Every structure is written in structure tokens, then in C-alpha cells.
Amino acid sequence: MSEVEVVGPEALPELQARVERILAEARRQGASACEVAVSVEQGLSTTVRQGEVETVEFNRDQGFGITLYVGQRKGSASTSASGEDAIRETVAAALAIAKHASEDECAGLADAALMARDLPELDLYHPWSISPDQAVEQALICEAAAFGVDKRVSKADGTTLNTHQGCRVYGNSHGFVGGYASTRHSLSCVMIAEAEGQMQRDYWYDVSRIGDQLADPASIGRRAAERTAARLGARPVPTCEVPVLFAAELATGLFGSFLGAISGGNLYRKSSFLEGALGQRLFPEWVTIDERPHIPRAMASAAFDNDGLATYAKPFVEKGELVSYVLGTYSGRKLGLPSTANAGGVHNLFVTHGLEDQAALLRRMGRGLLVTELMGQGLNMVTGDYSRGAAGYWVENGEIQFPVQEVTIAGNLKDMFRQIVAIGSDLELRGNIRTGSVLIERMTVAGS
């Protein structure tokens, strides 16, 4: 079997045929059920620093991963090879693992009747015919614009342009085979500012399915430099209990932690502070959190989940109440609940937001901390206790007074969710979670 020469939608027939061959080989070797994901992808990455080209990298990868079952025993294996010998050997390796695995009554494919049938076209594939020279030029324009903002922004820590395209096909022994091609393009700029013996670093970036729709390179550079210069003079603040406003790009992490807490794996392992919370009021009544997986060109859209089930729009929180967990087939069986077609995660999460932008939320907050950077992994998923190193800006009378660093913010996520005062209109649109800045009524800020 030859390598797939193309990466876009035209690769789908060959990858689908490869999936069928792998499934047939698994049956031939004695698997009672099987699922396989085959992919091919390629990309270009260019980084410049201080006006010089640092790296230009081209990558191309393909391979497959297989999970097969012998009754209720499961085995998995993967390879980056693509030939017939690799298929036989990888299937044999997965089979050997399955034969030595313990039986698991919840193991196995999703029910055949639940397989996705009509797959919507989500318009995820937009290749960018940018040459390495053009990519370098855009990165240099971005960095040069950053250096032009403020003479204290004196060093660059890397400006990187990435363009990626790939094709993935999933199939299983129920007869389901589905695939799609997708692209992802990004430009990021990291700058360093120095003044009065202090050094600060900050960044900005954009990401899109369509390369020509990325923000203007110069605007990304200027934003990175403005954010970096604004942090000069940062200092701690005395320990206090005050309102905290999470900038939109950080607020996504709060809802990411929420998704983790309602995900089946943490729930059936009894390692979530939201175990048994279905039907409980977790947020203010005006908050709704829902999934919209079929938005054309969105960064996390998908027609089917990792089990082959059709994705569908649904709420997880309605009027502040938790109405659904995040479940795949296996975790659903462990909990005695049906899958929510979320094997592999959630696709495009939307959080209720109001009409106030970040400046309006600062005025509403009055006095407190605007958080623009978080450090560390300070979340205990079992208890919900939350403690993170933070940096940002101190706010008095609704206006930013000075930059803040070397503080810790602490609370409990259950309390933090209940104490959300407002969510801004300044939506973060670059990832899987769409939310504005989040104002929380009270947290402990530990500083000097």
C-alpha cells in the first residue's frame, strides 16, 4: 500500500479504503469488534526572532490507531507506518493486548443503531497556498510592527506563523465510516519589554480555518507589544478579598474546568466535585451553557464524535441548572446513562453573555483585580478548590491603576460559578469555548 499523496478531501476515498482493509484484517485475526482512525496531515511552521529567520519547518505525517475487542476485552495499538505489513503487525499487537486484558462489561462499540447517518458539510477545509518566503515575510511584518510601538519593547521572543491541513477517517465494524478534511492557520507574537530593572513578557495571536481571514500581521504585533509594555512596573498588592474579572481569553479556562468536572471519566472515577450534581443550580439563573457542533468553519465543529455517533446541539446548563453531563459511550455505560455524543470532548461551547464590554465590567467591579495571566495548575478536581498564580491590573473606581504580578487568586469553583456577576460581550472566538470576560463577586487575592 502506497502512502497517501494528497491531504485534502481528495484523500478521503483512499483513507476510507484503508479503514476498510484494517477492519477486515482485524476480523480475519479474530477480533469480535473493531474501530480505527486513519489520518494524514502536513504543515508549515515559520519562526522569526529579532528580524532574523529562526526556523522554517515542513512536516508530513500519517498513520492509524486501532482499538479492537475480543468479547469484553479491549486492546489498542497505533503506528505511523501505512503498509500491509504494518497493518497486520499493528492489528496483531492490539489483539495480543486484548487477550491479556481484563474483561470489562462496559467495553465495546456504541450501539449500531446510534451510528451517525447523514453527515453535514461543515466547510472546515481551506488550504492556504502561502510559500515559506511569504510566511517569513508576514512574521517579519508582525514583529516589526511590535518593535514600533514602544522603545521599551526591546526584544522579541518569537513570532510564529503556522499553517496546517489534514484529513481524518474513522470507521468501525458496525459499518460506519466517516471522514473530513480540515485546516488550521495561526500567527502569534511574543515580545519582551524592559524598564527600570524589570523585564516583562506578553503575547497576542490569531487562529482561523481560513488563512486570509487571520488578523492583519501588523495588528497582532502591535497588540502583543501594547500588552507587554502595559505590564511594566507590575507589583504585588496586599492580601485582600475583592471582585475578580477574568479576561475573556482566561475565562475559557474556567469553563474548561467546568467541562472537566461534568465529564464522564471524572464522574465514574468519583474524582469530580460535581459528582451527583445533575439537576442542581450551579450558576446564576441567567446563565446558559450549550454546545453547537455544526457551525460552519468553527475551530471545533464536528459531524460525529470519536465513537461514530452524530453530534447534536444541546445545553449542559439551562437557567443556571446542570441538565446534562458530557458523556461518551464508555463513560455513559459506567454511569448507567446514554452517551451525549461527546466521546473526545465538546464541540463549540457557548456561554451566555451580556451587552457590557470589558471596560463596562471594570466600571461595574469598581475595585478589584483584572486577571490577564494565570500560572500553575492549581485546581483540585475532587474538591473544586482553586488556587492559581496570577498577573493583571489593579482597578480602583472602575479604572485600571497599575499592573499587578506575584499574587495568587483562590476560591472554590462551586462558589465562583455561583458568584458570577456578569459575562462580557468581548467574546473570545479563537477556540472551542466562546465566552466574554467573567466578573466574579469575590475571591481571595494573596499578595504582599
Side-chain angles (χ1 to χ4, degrees):
M1 186 192 308
S2 63
E3 287 202 347
V4 177
E5 296 298 326
V6 291
V7 175
E10 57 271 33
L12 283 169
E14 190 170 345
L15 293 180
Q16 288 166 346
R18 185 176 297 176
V19 165
E20 298 284 5
R21 287 194 288 272
I22 296 168
L23 293 171
E25 179 63 21
R27 285 191 294 271
R28 190 190 70 76
Q29 291 195 29
S32 54
C34 176
E35 56 186 341
V36 62
V38 174
S39 65
V40 57
E41 55 189 26
Q42 68 181 34
L44 170 69
S45 177
T46 302
T47 297
V48 303
R49 189 191 306 259
Q50 299 292 135
E52 300 290 335
V53 178
E54 192 166 75
T55 60
V56 177
E57 297 177 352
F58 180 81
N59 70 283
R60 183 180 176 89
D61 300 297
Q62 62 178 324
F64 72 90
I66 184 171
T67 296
L68 51 74
Y69 302 89
V70 178
Q72 300 300 120
R73 303 173 189 268
K74 169 184 169 182
S76 299
S78 63
T79 179
S80 58
S82 57
E84 297 295 344
D85 289 344
I87 290 176
R88 282 193 299 272
E89 292 166 6
T90 306
V91 168
L95 202 59
I97 293 168
K99 288 177 177 177
H100 288 92
S102 302
E103 289 203 1
D104 184 343
E105 62 181 9
C106 296
L109 302 179
D111 293 342
L114 299 177
M115 293 295 107
R117 293 288 181 261
D118 299 318
L119 302 180
E121 168 51 50
L122 299 176
D123 196 22
L124 305 180
Y125 183 73
H126 295 271
W128 194 10
S129 57
I130 187 171
S131 69
D133 286 346
Q134 291 169 327
V136 167
E137 181 184 11
Q138 290 212 12
L140 288 171
I141 289 170
C142 182
E143 186 186 85
F147 278 127
V149 167
D150 187 316
K151 66 179 187 296
R152 298 174 300 172
V153 180
S154 55
K155 293 188 175 71
D157 203 23
T159 297
T160 300
L161 187 146
N162 281 307
T163 174
H164 171 272
Q165 56 183 313
C167 192
R168 179 181 183 272
V169 174
Y170 167 89
N172 61 40
S173 48
H174 286 329
F176 173 82
V177 179
Y180 57 91
S182 64
T183 52
R184 185 183 191 278
H185 316 290
S186 65
L187 177 60
S188 65
C189 179
V190 186
M191 301 302 292
I192 297 170
E194 293 180 276
E196 297 177 5
Q198 190 181 72
M199 184 180 292
Q200 295 287 351
R201 175 188 281 105
D202 214 322
Y203 71 97
W204 198 245
Y205 75 99
D206 196 21
V207 61
S208 178
R209 294 280 185 196
I210 304 173
D212 291 337
Q213 290 186 4
L214 285 172
D216 174 63
S219 72
I220 292 173
R222 286 193 295 269
R223 183 77 179 270
E226 288 163 0
R227 285 167 57 92
T228 304
R231 294 180 63 156
L232 287 168
R235 59 186 191 266
V237 293
T239 297
C240 53
E241 281 198 6
V242 291
V244 170
L245 180 62
F246 287 82
E249 61 269 21
L250 300 184
T252 59
L254 293 178
F255 295 107
S257 296
F258 167 69
L259 289 178
I262 63 169
S263 293
N266 284 325
L267 293 167
Y268 77 70
R269 295 185 187 98
K270 300 188 181 299
S271 59
S272 168
F273 67 96
L274 292 181
E275 182 192 352
L278 206 60
Q280 293 180 14
R281 174 73 58 77
L282 300 179
F283 294 86
E285 191 173 358
W286 52 269
V287 173
T288 292
I289 302 174
D290 65 295
E291 177 186 28
R292 306 178 195 177
H294 296 165
I295 299 170
R297 296 180 299 281
M299 297 310 300
S301 292
F304 56 90
D305 77 348
N306 287 2
D307 292 331
L309 274 61
T311 54
Y312 60 97
K314 58 184 162 298
F316 295 109
V317 172
E318 273 188 320
K319 295 183 177 180
E321 179 183 313
L322 181 64
V323 296
S324 174
Y325 291 138
V326 175
L327 304 174
T329 297
Y330 182 80
S331 61
R333 288 172 181 160
K334 295 287 280 188
L335 293 167
L337 295 168
S339 171
T340 60
N342 288 118
V346 169
H347 305 283
N348 302 324
L349 193 77
F350 278 67
V351 182
T352 302
H353 65 87
L355 300 177
E356 297 169 288
D357 61 12
Q358 189 182 90
L361 293 183
L362 290 176
R363 290 192 292 272
R364 185 193 281 217
M365 179 168 68
R367 175 179 181 267
L369 181 67
L370 166 61
V371 176
T372 59
E373 183 183 16
L374 290 167
M375 292 148 276
Q377 303 296 319
L379 170 62
N380 184 326
M381 189 61 77
V382 177
T383 64
D385 288 337
Y386 180 95
S387 179
R388 304 281 302 275
Y393 299 90
W394 187 252
V395 176
E396 295 274 1
N397 301 316
E399 294 186 354
I400 289 174
Q401 302 298 312
F402 56 85
V404 172
Q405 65 179 8
E406 297 175 2
V407 297
T408 300
I409 56 172
N412 183 280
L413 277 181
K414 266 192 170 181
D415 297 331
M416 291 162 63
F417 294 154
R418 280 194 298 264
Q419 292 177 17
I420 292 177
V421 174
I423 299 176
S425 61
D426 55 328
L427 297 181
E428 171 58 62
L429 304 176
R430 296 170 294 183
N432 185 30
I433 298 174
R434 189 166 294 196
T435 178
S437 296
V438 172
L439 177 58
I440 293 175
E441 184 178 1
R442 187 162 296 273
M443 292 183 71
T444 298
V445 177
S448 55

